Amino acid sequence: MDPDISIIFQATKHLIKQTDCHVFLESDFNRRPLPNQLEEEINNVWKIRQSKNMTLYNGTKFRVHAVFPSVDKKGVNLQLGVTCYRDFLGTNWSFRSQHLQTVGLALFGNSQACMSDPLGVGSLLLTSDQRIILLKRSQNCAEAPGLWDIPGGHAEPQELVGSVTMEKIDVESMSPAAVVKELYNSVVREIRDEVNIPEDTLLEPELMGVASNLTSAGRPSLEFFVRCSLPSSKVLQLYLQGNQSEADESTHIQCLSVNDVLKLQENNKQLWSLLAPSAKGCFILFINMVLNNVLTLNSNSSITNSIEP
């Protein structure tokens, strides 16, 4: 394991399709309020960040309250509320995040009760020639700048309710089936927008598990396995065209073989140290899936050089 991440949940019998992912939505799963002074600190942090970057947008995100196996052990249950980017910066990314966790534990018996904990999504993207895609994050990225990462981002409540504030979202009125669909669709969008791969070349995502980013106070992320019908050479070509909608989020691309990823932490400590926590969590889940025979793949041990657009 790595000190940057922990595994909250992992599939044990098979990778989890949409039909075996179950969502429970309640306003009680939203972030619990902190004492007034600490809530004011969150607002002040947001005002300061906005004054330095007027493009900041307080978008809504799904919030993870709890994750646990389904009764039949074949799927996963997610208890979700909603949160926003302002609260994410003011809690998970606060320099006082450990104190906020202590307050949550004292007031609500849960160290994450007052944390934003927006749900991220990430993908182990496998090409038809058994290569795994990594992107080097731009220095302009707010999270993990300059580190190698998997394609990923967030599921978006606005896809279901439009561009409204968190306070105007009636969590209980949202369709659980629609939310599950958005969770799985979002990772496909992120791959399309970050790597420039057409959606029709991607097979349906399958969930490997949920990882927690300990460098951002336990922020959780769904980690998916996604097959692509294109070979790595074509994926690199499409990426280098540079017309993807989120081209500014990365500066380089590289492709690793399955065997390289399986042995990365022990055989290439330098590259492992340059991975974003989200990539580490995804890779650890993937390794566990292969070692436990939940996922079987053909592979070879070669690795391509990184490529810069």
Side-chain angles (χ1 to χ4, degrees), residues 7 16 18 21 44 56 74 79 84 89 96 160 198 297:
I7 302 302
I16 299 171
Q18 283 193 49
C21 180
N44 290 336
L56 279 182
K74 295 180 179 180
Q79 293 180 334
C84 64
L89 292 180
R96 299 221 295 164
L160 306 180
L297 298 166

Side-chain angles (χ1 to χ4, degrees), residues 162-208:
S163 298
V164 298
T165 63
M166 179 187 69
E167 292 78 12
K168 292 184 178 180
I169 296 178
D170 181 1
V171 178
E172 283 87 355
S173 70
M174 300 175 75
S175 163
V179 172
V180 171
K181 185 176 181 180
E182 167 58 15
L183 297 180
Y184 280 71
N185 285 351
S186 64
V187 74
V188 173
R189 288 199 309 270
E190 295 292 348
I191 294 170
R192 177 198 67 195
D193 294 344
E194 293 183 4
V195 192
N196 201 31
I197 298 176
E199 289 188 26
D200 60 6
T201 67
L202 301 172
L203 276 66
E204 179 185 348
E206 297 174 291
L207 181 65
M208 297 187 294

